[in-house]
Amino acid sequence: QVRLAESGGGLVQPGESLTLSCVASGSISIYRVGWYRQAPGKQRELVAAISADGSRVDYVDDVKGRFTISRDNAKDVAHLRMNELKPEDTGVYYCAGDKVLHPRFNNYLTRADYEYETWGQGIQVTVSS
């Protein structure tokens, strides 16, 4: 299992943008990647997911059109670009990885939290005026 580490969080005003990065200690290319958000007082939820080969992506409804998940397997990093940030986007963001055991599944997405095998420590994003 690789280790994942998030960076790029912080405090921004509503309407501004922020990019989170998820750096892997080894090859990230064999992992499906998900970004989770845990807002204050709420359950952790998957906000964006990407297949190992980057061919498929998915988003929770309230971030569609605003957030973009991407990956650069050559650099062992995944990103979450967050535009038009809203106060309700505030929370701790986690990067998670699900190892792909065969190349035939490189284009599959993972949406269940229990299937993600490795997790970053989380990073705070605060959107406030």
Side-chain angles (χ1 to χ4, degrees):
Q1 300 284 345
V2 301
R3 299 170 185 169
L4 303 178
E6 303 94 339
S7 63
L11 173 65
V12 297
Q13 296 182 357
E16 294 184 339
S17 298
L18 201 62
T19 298
L20 303 181
S21 297
C22 175
V23 178
S25 63
S27 178
I28 203 171
S29 65
I30 60 173
Y31 288 83
R32 306 178 185 104
V33 173
W35 283 97
Y36 281 80
R37 176 180 64 198
Q38 187 164 25
K42 294 185 177 181
Q43 189 82 356
R44 183 177 60 192
E45 67 173 343
L46 182 68
V47 298
I50 189 168
S51 60
D53 63 4
S55 65
R56 295 180 185 271
V57 297
D58 196 20
Y59 303 93
V60 70
D61 285 346
D62 65 2
V63 310
K64 288 181 179 177
R66 298 189 299 119
F67 288 14
T68 301
I69 188 171
S70 63
R71 63 192 302 153
D72 187 343
N73 287 344
K75 297 181 179 180
D76 294 323
V77 64
H79 302 286
L80 183 68
R81 176 65 175 176
M82 303 180 291
N83 293 326
E84 304 173 46
L85 282 163
K86 304 175 180 179
E88 51 263 43
D89 295 318
T90 293
V92 178
Y93 284 72
Y94 298 87
C95 178
D98 175 23
K99 190 175 183 179
V100 175
L101 300 181
H102 195 282
R104 68 192 293 182
F105 303 120
N106 280 353
N107 65 343
Y108 277 47
L109 293 169
T110 297
R111 297 183 178 90
D113 58 357
Y114 61 83
E115 293 186 350
Y116 284 105
E117 300 168 341
T118 185
W119 293 75
Q121 73 276 22
I123 191 166
Q124 179 70 39
V125 172
T126 302
V127 185
S128 177
S129 60

